[in-house]
Amino acid sequence: MMKDFSTTAPPLEVHDLTVAYDRRPVLYGVDLTVPAGSLTGIIGPNGAGKSTLLKAVLGLLPLSAGWVKIFGGTLAQNARRTGYVPQRESVDWDFPVNVMDVVLMGRYGHLPPGRRPGRADREIARACLDQVQMLPLAKRQIGNLSGGQRQRVFLARALAQESDLYFMDEPFAGVDAATEAAIINLLREMKARGKTVVVVHHDLSTARDYFDRLVLLNMRLVAAGPTAEVFTPELLQKTYGGRLTILSDVVQSLGEEP
Amino acid sequence: MRTGWLAAGLVLLAAAPAEAARIGEMVEWDFGAQAARFFSLQDPSVRYALGGSMLLGLCCGLMGAFLVVRKLALMGDALSHAVLPGVALGFLWGMTKNPAAIFAGAVGAGLLGAVVVQWIRATTKHREDAALGFVLSSFFGVGIVLFTMIQNLPGGAKSGLDGFMFGQAAALGPEDVWLLAGVTVLALGAVGLFYKEYVLTSFDEGFARSLGWPVKLYHYSLMLLLAFAIVSALQAVGVVLVSAMLIIPAAAAFLLTDRMGAMLAWSAGFGMLAGAAGAFFSFTGRSLPTGPFMVLAAAALFVLALLFAPRHGIVGRLWRRRSRAARIRRENTLKAIYHVMEDGGFREEVVAVDGVAARRHETAAGAGREIGELQRAGLATEADGRVAFTPEGRQRACEIVRNHRLWELYLTNAAQLAPDHVHEDAEVIEHVLGDETVRRLERRLNFARRDPHGKLIPGLADLAGGPPPTARVAGFGGKGGAP
Amino acid sequence: MTGFVPAFEWQRVMVQPWTEDFMVSFWIVVMGFFVAATCGLVGTYLLLRRMALVGDAISHSILFGLVVAFMIFRSGGTTVMFVAAVATGLLTVGIIEFIHRQSRVKTDAAICIAFTTLFAAGVVLLSLAEMKGPVHLDAECVLYGEIAFVPLDPAVEIFGLTLGPAPVVRIAGVLVGLLVLVAVFYKELLVTSFDPALARSLGLRTGIWHYGLMAVLSIVIVSVFEAVGAILAVAMLVVPPMFAAQLSDRLPVRFVLVFLHAALSSLLGYQVSVWLNCSPAGAMVVVGALLFLLAWAVMRPRRAVLPDPTVHA
């Protein structure tokens, strides 16, 4: 009974999500359902709370209100089915690990405490590196990679997690054109294999081509749905046309309360 | 888990004073006499110790304030350890405790330490913490090597260099005090003359550089003053605890004020107070080391500031939180009374306490207590199980209901939230909306009269203290869902 | 000044320690190696987490815990020492976090406040305890340790096998325990240090790993405290990993380099201390720092981005 329920539950369901923390972008009453097998882009202006939404969903930020369900359960229950690609700046690229080590970290969720990655894990990691065309650089220290290469390493790590639902925070930010094309091909391939991918995206001009569903966000949810329905001048105007100044002021004052 | 180790820590803390008290009994016999000697200031050694300690508190407090706002607190720690080899070399100069030679050597070593920190950060991928740790410990290692070599020399054993480790204010001589006074005057002068430069380079280095200021020069001049302060304080506090005299008074001051000038003053004042306290306890406590007592006094001041600072203190914050919770409780009760009146179509000026209790999901006794609070605040009056607003109470109730409904309307109209999402938010926001925001909301919503549930939003006329909007509302009373 | 630096006499510096005084030299060098290796191992993780100065803080505040434990239990047994160390270490970290969270004082200042206050309290309690009678700890030990007295400690025997002086056996045990922990939890320590967000999304409790590391750090520090003192322990925590980081970008290689650095600095440091007739612990630290400078001189950082073979493929 429970199992049956979890397979039919949508990969991501967010209800009335509110995130308020001191003097940073916040979210207000967001309702969102991401259907299985979709490639969803989250778009909105700077400070609209796009990354905040991902972090809140992943439990990296406390929620002020609302709830999040991953495959109908908690994140902890479905940690293995969930992959995360953080923003590139979030880690220390001088860290003494090479490309292979980072990709192998994607396998850690599948290993019990105390077990090191084995031959099978290495094979998977190599296959993932090959998919992002980084296999020749497997032994390179991560500090010696270009921005695009670093992004591909993170993607390979996410692939190695073998999850069903992926969250990616601005994977296209500051990468070269070749990497951008490689990433979008990869995302489409993942979708074709039935994975669900949620991507924070900052470039309005490519959003329409890249994603089959869009979430328009500006502190609150403006619209969510198939790209053809949502990518309209009217809704985009509503998303990008000016901030809800009163809302942001009031929520900010809430964050400052002791 | 946290409570577990906190408890363990408390056990340790509680055990310590018990032991200390027992030891205290042994030394108590001369405490009164010593205290009298201290306060009479007859003894020159007392005068030197007290004067020196207070000067060092002043000087360290000034420098420490800049370290705290620059987030360089641990630079003080690193430099105070890094001066050690310089002290040893200064001693070697003439095999005596010549203050000038020791001063020069220590300042040189301290500056070299500051340079090495910068150098490691610039030419390696190590972070600041590693660079500071390296300078702190390896310079100290050089110092230890030199010290242990000096002890083998004829005359080295009685060099008294151990005093530099933990400090002994009682050993301060007139030269030391003059040195401290000179450094203090220098620090005061530099900070007074270049106040705006030091403040701006501390706050926004990039902007200062864009003005064409020699930012590096200011940084290193501050480091030089810092080295001066550290070296002159060594004799009284010792190597390990100088950093405490730099940082703790300044951190306490940081909690008390939001202005740099005031922070400098508080910090210097706390430093002097801690210095005096340290000298007193060291003198009365039979040649106990001075440094630790100064640091404990400074730490006590910091704890007081942490607890009782008016704006940033823990107690004040808890108090404000409590009084806000009480206000929110009162406002919710007022709102409940309003709702009961509204459900009755505002035909009655008084409502039953039972009705209010049902609204608040409270027991009758609980609602009675809440209404008692309203009475004490002059917002309502109660008699025979029935309650009525005072004019002030009516106004406040109308405001809260208006805030609630305006916010619901704003969220549904402007932010396109579903009507079933807005009530919970409004329950929180209604208590924090200021007048200014309310006016902006009203303008934004074109002075709408109805909330998303169709209920009337109390307007300015109602807030002016007039009668409840009975006549106008009569036709609409009870319509729509729960607010 | 002339008599200050003793002449380098081959017989006295190089031969005598390893013939007449063999046992003394041997145990001092072995102790130095264990101390530097253990500290360097845990210090590698501290540096990766940018927490080197928390090591500084705990190594100072541990004095407070030791004195209080001594006053309560009147003994310096290993268990008492370890419990006191862990309690003080976590107390220090807790105070730092409390100040940081409850006020606007930044972490660096909070670190400074926490450890100097505990250290000062420790010194005061120590002086008070000294009035009552001799205490095993003294001020010099706090500052630079007494590694030279290590060979004088009674030897430990297990199953009729004479292992060596008690402090050496203790630190060897800690080192073995630490190696086991690192081997077993290699991947957890790696991912919580490198990318805490990923670690949490994998279901790891980063807070527990943080406090666990702090507890291990406290045990390491207390085991080396007697030999090298509070401040030189910081050098042992910081310098070997810095040396290793200068020479390699691979974590397992860095561990090997930490051991190499520990061996070189303890052996050479001991020879220098015999030559200069100075504190062995201090000399080991100085040699260790010189080794870092040497590594810096031969391996300037290579940070240039290498050409990308994939882009034009």
Side-chain angles (χ1 to χ4, degrees), chain C:
Chain C
M1 279 296 281
T2 41
F4 183 60
V5 178
F8 185 87
E9 302 149 33
W10 181 265
Q11 178 70 21
R12 179 177 69 83
V13 179
M14 301 306 289
V15 179
Q16 203 174 331
W18 300 104
T19 49
E20 275 172 55
D21 305 326
F22 178 78
M23 285 319 276
V24 172
S25 308
F26 176 76
W27 287 122
I28 290 178
V29 171
V30 167
M31 184 73 189
F33 169 73
F34 281 151
V35 166
T38 315
C39 287
L41 205 54
V42 73
T44 302
Y45 285 106
L46 283 189
L47 246 62
L48 292 177
R49 291 163 171 254
R50 303 179 194 180
M51 290 173 59
L53 291 163
V54 178
D56 180 33
I58 293 182
S59 75
H60 281 84
S61 57
I62 217 124
L63 175 70
F64 174 77
L66 285 181
V67 176
V68 171
F70 179 82
M71 285 175 151
I72 297 173
F73 299 104
R74 297 266 149 216
S75 87
T78 304
T79 323
V80 169
M81 249 171 64
F82 281 9
V83 170
V86 171
T88 325
L90 295 181
L91 176 71
T92 311
V93 180
I95 293 176
I96 294 169
E97 240 167 70
F98 180 82
I99 294 177
H100 177 62
R101 257 186 222 182
Q102 292 293 325
S103 78
R104 55 192 194 141
V105 173
K106 308 290 182 291
T107 316
D108 62 331
I111 289 176
C112 192
I113 293 167
F115 86 77
T116 53
T117 306
L118 287 175
F119 187 80
V123 174
V124 168
L125 289 180
L126 189 61
S127 340
L128 291 173
E130 272 169 347
M131 289 180 174
K132 273 192 91 179
V135 183
H136 185 51
L137 283 165
D138 61 42
E140 284 192 4
C141 165
V142 172
L143 290 166
Y144 47 92
E146 288 167 340
I147 199 169
F149 296 162
V150 162
L152 306 180
D153 271 274
V156 176
E157 279 185 41
I158 297 179
F159 306 127
L161 208 71
T162 311
L163 288 176
V168 181
V169 174
R170 186 163 56 218
I171 185 75
V174 173
L175 177 58
V176 170
L178 192 59
L179 281 171
V180 169
L181 282 177
V182 169
V184 172
F185 297 115
Y186 182 81
K187 68 176 196 297
E188 284 82 2
L189 285 168
L190 183 65
V191 74
T192 51
S193 305
F194 175 63
D195 190 346
L198 176 77
R200 268 184 281 175
S201 80
L202 291 173
L204 289 173
R205 305 272 301 274
T206 45
I208 290 183
W209 289 96
H210 170 75
Y211 283 113
L213 185 64
M214 291 300 101
V216 170
L217 172 65
S218 308
I219 287 181
V220 167
I221 289 175
V222 78
S223 331
V224 307
F225 191 82
E226 230 177 302
V228 297
I231 302 154
L232 298 182
V234 180
M236 303 285 190
L237 285 170
V238 174
V239 180
M242 284 176 79
F243 168 84
Q246 210 59 30
L247 295 179
S248 170
D249 284 334
R250 304 270 301 134
L251 193 53
V253 180
R254 282 196 188 175
F255 288 142
V256 174
L257 286 168
V258 161
F259 277 70
L260 179 71
H261 181 274
L264 281 176
S265 62
S266 67
L267 181 61
L268 297 178
Y270 177 67
Q271 299 292 169
V272 168
S273 77
V274 174
W275 168 35
L276 297 179
N277 198 3
C278 65
S279 148
M284 287 174 189
V285 167
V286 172
V287 170
L290 291 175
L291 285 173
F292 166 74
L293 295 183
L294 192 67
W296 174 84
V298 292
M299 290 290 267
R300 302 299 291 268
R302 308 154 301 169
R303 298 195 60 169
V305 174
L306 304 178
D308 180 354
T310 62
V311 162
H312 304 289

Side-chain angles (χ1 to χ4, degrees), chain B residues 110-144:
Chain B
L111 277 183
L112 183 65
V115 171
V116 172
V117 169
Q118 286 295 336
W119 167 80
I120 290 179
R121 289 185 58 198
T123 65
T124 74
K125 42 189 162 179
H126 296 297
R127 316 281 166 184
E128 179 153 52
D129 65 324
L132 288 172
F134 179 83
V135 166
L136 182 158
S137 58
S138 57
F139 275 58
F140 190 82
V142 175
I144 290 297

Side-chain angles (χ1 to χ4, degrees), chain B residues 73-162:
Chain B
L74 292 160
M75 182 66 111
D77 190 32
L79 291 199
S80 65
H81 289 74
V83 299
L84 194 63
V87 172
L89 286 176
F91 180 80
L92 271 176
W93 185 258
M95 290 307 287
T96 54
K97 279 172 73 180
N98 175 359
I102 289 179
F103 188 83
V107 168
L111 277 183
L112 183 65
V115 171
V116 172
V117 169
Q118 286 295 336
W119 167 80
I120 290 179
R121 289 185 58 198
T123 65
T124 74
K125 42 189 162 179
H126 296 297
R127 316 281 166 184
E128 179 153 52
D129 65 324
L132 288 172
F134 179 83
V135 166
L136 182 158
S137 58
S138 57
F139 275 58
F140 190 82
V142 175
I144 290 297
V145 165
L146 292 174
F147 263 77
T148 45
M149 287 167 77
I150 287 173
Q151 275 169 353
N152 298 322
L153 293 176
K158 55 180 187 323
S159 61
L161 288 174
D162 279 356

